[in-house]
Each structure stands twice: as structure tokens, then as C-alpha cells.
Amino acid sequence: GIRQVICLLKLLGLLLVIAAGSFAGLQASLKLGRREKNLELFSRFVQNAETEIQFSGMPVADVVERHGGELSFLRRCTELCREGMDFSGAWEQAVSEDPGFSDGDASLLLEFGKGFGATDVQGQAAHCRLTLELTRQRLKDAREERRQKARLYRMLGMLGGIGTALFFC
């Protein structure tokens, strides 16, 4: 009767707590992979931007529009520029709105945006090369962090859910 229903509801609640913990661990794990992917895409963007600037002299907002479609913050930057915001402000706002990077990554992106389009072609090429090198180092670190921590986060989430469920038993 009623005791069986209560027992089933408790069991369901405990399973939901375990599932919630597992989901939280999975989300943390996926965030590491998203950061790695975003850094790969940004690296590719910087390479394309350097080539575009050297050979076509295209304005930076047009470079972002042409080569930035794969990264959400670059698409957002293009939207803001179309709405009339200056490139520097659009870049800064777009970076600040994107959760797909670590704080250190965001600092690198902001620094790149400050210098992007601010000098002559040779200065831009050097700026892109420096940013590319720094991005590659951050990408290497992101890959290592994902390799070391992704499975750990999934396990901790599941074990945390189980531990919480046991606490309520």
C-alpha cells in the first residue's frame, strides 16, 4: 500500500540525486573539451587572420566576419559591429559573454582584440604570430588538463551523487 509507494518515491529520489551528481560531473568534463575545441578554432582563426591581413589588407571587422563563423564570440562580435558598435568594444563584449574559455584564455583573447588592427601589416602579422604561439601553448595545456581531469570529474560527480544519496538513506 502506502508504505510501498513511499519506499518507491524514496528510491526514485535517491536515483535522481545520483543522476544529478553524475550529470554535474559530465558537465564539468564537457566544459574541458569545449575549451580545448574553442582554442583549436581560435588558433585556426588567428592563422587565417594573419594570412588575410598580409595578402588582402582587409579590415579586421571583415576578417572576423569572414573567418569567425565557427566561434560564438566571433559571430557575436560581427553582430555587434553590424549594430554599429566599434570593433574594440564589440570584441571586448563578445569575449566577456562567452563561457567557453578559461579566465586566462579570455585575457589572451582580450589582448589580441586590443592589438588587432591597431598597427601596420607587418605589426599585425607579428601580433598574430605571437598570439598564435600563446594560443598553441594554452591549447597544449587544455589538452593535458582534459586528459588528466575529464574522467576524474565524471567519477567525482557520480560518487558525489552516490554519497549524497547514502547520506539521505
Side-chain angles (χ1 to χ4, degrees):
I2 199 93
R3 293 183 83 184
Q4 289 175 330
V5 171
I6 291 172
C7 188
L8 284 174
L9 287 175
K10 281 184 177 180
L11 179 62
L12 179 62
L14 294 175
L15 290 174
L16 288 174
V17 167
I18 293 169
S22 297
F23 183 73
L26 179 63
Q27 285 298 104
S29 173
L30 291 174
K31 187 176 181 181
L32 294 175
R34 189 169 42 249
R35 176 180 176 234
E36 180 183 351
K37 178 71 174 169
N38 283 344
L39 286 169
E40 288 172 357
L41 292 171
F42 183 66
S43 176
R44 192 173 323 140
F45 167 76
V46 173
Q47 286 176 314
N48 291 336
E50 179 185 0
T51 302
E52 197 72 63
I53 289 168
Q54 282 185 319
F55 296 107
S56 75
M58 184 182 287
V60 292
D62 293 344
V63 171
V64 170
E65 184 172 356
R66 184 170 186 180
H67 296 285
E70 292 184 85
L71 277 166
S72 60
F73 90 91
L74 293 175
R75 287 192 306 270
R76 179 69 176 137
C77 181
T78 297
E79 288 173 16
L80 292 170
C81 286
R82 284 183 186 155
E83 292 171 6
M85 186 179 281
D86 68 298
F87 178 77
S88 180
W91 182 276
E92 189 172 331
Q93 183 174 331
V95 169
S96 69
E97 293 174 358
D98 195 317
F101 295 96
S102 71
D103 290 344
D105 300 339
S107 294
L108 174 65
L109 298 177
L110 289 172
E111 285 303 312
F112 177 74
K114 286 178 186 174
F116 195 41
T119 61
D120 64 359
V121 172
Q122 297 304 325
Q124 287 304 295
H127 183 62
C128 287
R129 283 191 298 274
L130 174 62
T131 301
L132 184 58
E133 190 56 42
L134 294 171
T135 302
R136 284 180 176 156
Q137 183 57 51
R138 295 198 73 77
L139 177 57
K140 180 181 170 195
D141 295 344
R143 284 184 176 135
E144 183 64 21
E145 182 178 25
R146 184 185 55 80
R147 189 186 67 72
Q148 289 178 350
K149 295 181 181 176
R151 186 166 182 256
L152 173 69
Y153 286 168
R154 289 190 303 268
M155 294 301 293
L156 284 176
M158 185 177 63
L159 292 174
I162 290 170
T164 303
L166 289 174
F167 177 76
F168 286 119
C169 282

